Amino acid sequence: MEIFLIRHTVTVAEKGYCYGQTDLDLQLPYLDVFQKIKGYLQINEDTLIYSSPLRRCVEMAHFLSPNAIFDDRIKELNFGLWENLKWDSIDHEISMKWMNDFVNEAPPEGESFQALAD
């Protein structure tokens, strides 16, 4: 059995913004990239596709398979109060505490990478 982890293509988010579970669309065009990925993976009717239910992931999952399975547990990290804020607008002292130990530290009202993994 082979397992492939595929990240979504570029989103419409402006550079410099913090987003994890913010539900963003993909930047057009993306279908050519989807087609290349599908060709590389050699997907058939027996291939299982699991996806985050966020729009940026759903687009590709539906392209790859009409039977894609969506699961909240594989959403991106929840950045809590930092969601959709410019990184440079986040209090430097608080963000540095997180950056120095993002595995165990969580953004305010968000989750740590350890919580995400759990």
Side-chain angles (χ1 to χ4, degrees):
M1 173 174 58
E2 290 183 288
I3 297 174
F4 294 90
L5 301 177
I6 304 167
R7 185 160 172 85
H8 56 79
T9 56
V10 178
T11 69
V12 297
E14 292 182 43
K15 298 287 184 202
Y17 276 81
C18 174
Y19 67 90
Q21 292 189 9
T22 301
D23 204 6
L24 300 167
D25 287 318
L26 294 174
Q27 193 175 91
L28 295 171
Y30 52 79
L31 292 178
D32 287 345
V33 176
F34 286 6
Q35 189 61 50
K36 286 179 186 176
I37 292 168
K38 189 172 187 175
Y40 175 79
L41 296 174
Q42 300 176 354
I43 293 172
N44 61 47
E45 63 276 350
D46 296 325
T47 303
L48 295 175
I49 305 288
Y50 290 88
S51 174
S52 161
L54 297 174
R55 287 189 307 247
R56 61 186 180 260
C57 301
V58 168
E59 288 290 332
M60 184 183 298
H62 278 152
F63 184 87
L64 297 175
S65 171
N67 301 316
I69 301 161
F70 300 98
D71 192 327
D72 280 335
R73 295 174 297 173
I74 54 178
K75 280 184 182 178
E76 178 75 62
L77 183 78
N78 180 352
F79 282 100
L81 296 178
W82 295 355
E83 286 284 339
N84 214 24
L85 294 179
K86 290 189 85 165
W87 279 105
D88 61 8
S89 73
I90 297 169
D91 181 277
H92 183 72
E93 187 177 317
I94 295 171
S95 67
M96 287 309 297
K97 183 179 178 190
W98 175 75
M99 287 183 193
N100 287 329
D101 188 15
F102 54 82
V103 171
N104 299 299
E105 289 291 329
E109 298 185 28
E111 65 185 339
S112 67
F113 275 92
Q114 185 60 56
L116 175 67
D118 292 345

